[in-house]
């Protein structure tokens, strides 16, 4: 698969065109950012671990009937993906209170939410990814009502499968962020899961010790980020022998 030109550069990944119009290469960088890039560091090998973990999770979700952009992993930092038109919305799913949710409402971290909560943030670094409602999404035409409904149904299902997956390995899925895109083939357009799912985009707590196994280690200067991501990969039975 030939890697052609850089199409998009985000905070933690790059997307390259390939010889096929409907396929891209997704490259995982070592950049760690938080608070909309106010905090930034290079953490050696983080991209390699996220590539492996995201591959594992997308395959698992695919096996459970969640359509997604993953085709195959190419090497330690790259995967081949379906080209989608990204819907510019960060879909945040919360099972317990943490992060910006606790700050916004002045509540304690770890508080159980009586039901799973879905929030939307606009993907717009310049304006600090503002929290938006379904109404904003429709007024600005980022997606229509049936797409919003589809995204919510898929987000709840993804939460169910991920919660089960992590439960089995003694990890509590506190919250996570996902992105969706429109994939068109044979004149049909479908909303599919895109981007990545990794400890960069989830809050994962060890169920016994409550230890944080995610990017909060970086956000809160706790150290040990690579060790934590390796622990997640190992529990997911990802082969780290070449790592
Ligand atoms: P938050 O508490 O900072 O709003 O984040 C909720 C979840 O979404 C958490 O698991 C981190 C993830 N997330 C991202 O991956 N990227 C982002 O830009 C944001 C705002 C959150
Ligand atoms: N990913 C976002 C940033 O780079 C926010 C976060 O995850 O804390 O600032």
């Amino acid at each position: 698969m030939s890697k052609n030109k850089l199409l998009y550069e985000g905070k933690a990944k790059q997307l390259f065109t390939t010889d096929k119009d409907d396929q891209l290469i997704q490259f995982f960088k070592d950049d760690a950012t938080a608070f909309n890039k106010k905090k930034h560091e290079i953490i050696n090998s983080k991209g390699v671990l996220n590539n492996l973990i995201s591959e594992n999770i997308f395959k698992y979700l695919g096996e459970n009937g969640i359509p997604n952009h993953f085709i195959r992993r190419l090497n330690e930092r790259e995967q081949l993906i379906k080209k989608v038109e990204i819907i510019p919305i960060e879909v945040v799913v919360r099972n317990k209170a943490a992060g910006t949710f606790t700050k916004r409402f002045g509540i304690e971290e770890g508080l159980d939410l009586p039901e799973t909560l879905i929030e939307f943030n606009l993907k717009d670094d310049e304006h600090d990814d503002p929290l938006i409602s379904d109404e904003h999404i429709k007024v600005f035409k980022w997606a229509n009502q049936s797409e919003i409904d589809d995204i919510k149904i898929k987000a709840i299902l993804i939460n169910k499968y991920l919660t089960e997956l992590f439960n089995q390995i003694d990890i509590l899925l506190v919250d996570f962020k996902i992105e969706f895109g429109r994939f068109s083939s044979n004149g049909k357009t479908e909303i599919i899961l895109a981007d990545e799912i990794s400890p960069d985009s989830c809050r994962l707590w060890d169920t016994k010790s409550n230890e944080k196994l995610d990017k909060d280690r970086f956000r809160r200067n706790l150290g040990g980020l690579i060790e934590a991501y390796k622990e997640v990969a190992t529990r997911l039975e990802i082969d780290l022998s070449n790592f």
Side-chain angles (χ1 to χ4, degrees):
M1 182 53 61
S2 74
K3 185 165 147 187
N4 297 343
K5 75 172 208 301
L6 180 67
L7 183 70
Y8 171 83
E9 175 137 24
K11 294 192 284 273
K13 293 186 297 295
Q14 293 170 323
L15 293 177
F16 294 89
T17 59
T18 68
D19 293 340
K20 292 200 172 153
D21 284 348
D22 58 352
Q23 296 185 357
L24 298 177
I25 290 173
Q26 174 164 261
F27 178 97
F28 287 76
K29 306 194 286 185
D30 282 341
D31 296 65
T33 68
F35 316 114
N36 200 13
K37 245 182 159 177
K38 288 175 194 84
K39 187 171 160 67
H40 178 219
E41 257 175 55
I42 302 290
I43 303 183
N44 259 336
S45 307
K46 177 177 78 74
V48 177
L49 287 165
N50 280 350
N51 186 20
L52 289 168
I53 294 170
S54 202
E55 169 193 20
N56 183 281
I57 292 177
F58 273 67
K59 278 185 179 164
Y60 162 79
L61 291 174
E63 284 158 13
N64 282 285
I66 304 289
N68 66 67
H69 75 167
F70 181 81
I71 301 174
R72 66 174 194 275
R73 189 166 60 80
L74 298 171
N75 53 51
E76 64 170 14
R77 285 189 187 270
E78 293 174 331
Q79 41 184 251
L80 190 66
I81 58 168
K82 293 178 182 170
K83 184 178 183 178
V84 298
E85 179 200 346
I86 283 285
I87 296 171
I89 296 167
E90 301 191 337
V91 179
V92 172
V93 180
R94 299 185 188 273
N95 295 309
K96 273 182 180 274
T100 58
F101 187 80
T102 57
K103 291 201 188 98
R104 208 182 314 135
F105 297 108
I107 53 176
E108 212 182 305
E109 183 178 75
L111 203 78
D112 259 323
L113 300 177
E115 51 185 87
T116 298
L117 183 72
I118 298 181
E119 291 178 342
F120 298 124
N121 289 84
L122 181 65
K123 262 174 80 73
D124 181 352
D125 287 346
E126 228 182 285
H127 299 98
D128 273 343
D129 294 347
L131 188 70
I132 52 171
S133 70
D134 297 29
E135 308 305 316
H136 294 105
I137 296 174
K138 283 182 282 180
V139 163
F140 287 104
K141 297 197 183 329
W142 293 311
N144 63 35
Q145 186 63 58
S146 86
E147 289 177 323
I148 297 170
D149 294 342
D150 191 8
I151 286 171
K152 285 184 181 171
I153 289 166
K154 289 189 166 114
I156 291 293
L157 259 181
I158 291 166
N159 184 50
K160 171 181 151 351
Y161 291 128
L162 291 185
T163 298
E164 284 169 10
L165 175 72
F166 285 117
N167 258 341
Q168 286 162 20
I169 54 172
D170 296 321
I171 289 175
L172 178 78
L173 178 64
V174 174
D175 60 28
F176 60 96
K177 185 269 300 183
I178 44 181
E179 295 180 24
F180 292 90
R182 299 183 185 94
F183 177 68
S184 302
S185 85
N186 302 323
K188 215 180 117 239
T189 301
E190 186 191 13
I191 298 234
I192 67 174
L193 178 67
D195 191 53
E196 70 175 289
I197 299 181
S198 72
D200 265 15
S201 58
C202 302
R203 283 198 174 88
L204 304 169
W205 297 353
D206 178 83
T207 46
K208 296 196 180 88
S209 64
N210 264 348
E211 193 190 353
K212 296 182 195 307
L213 301 172
D214 57 63
K215 205 171 85 174
D216 268 349
R217 303 211 68 83
F218 166 73
R219 292 191 192 93
R220 299 181 177 200
N221 302 316
L222 299 173
L225 180 134
I226 290 296
E227 291 72 16
Y229 284 31
K230 270 187 175 169
E231 180 64 30
V232 173
T234 304
R235 291 196 203 178
L236 286 169
E237 295 180 2
I238 292 172
D239 180 10
L240 293 181
S241 54
N242 294 324
F243 182 78

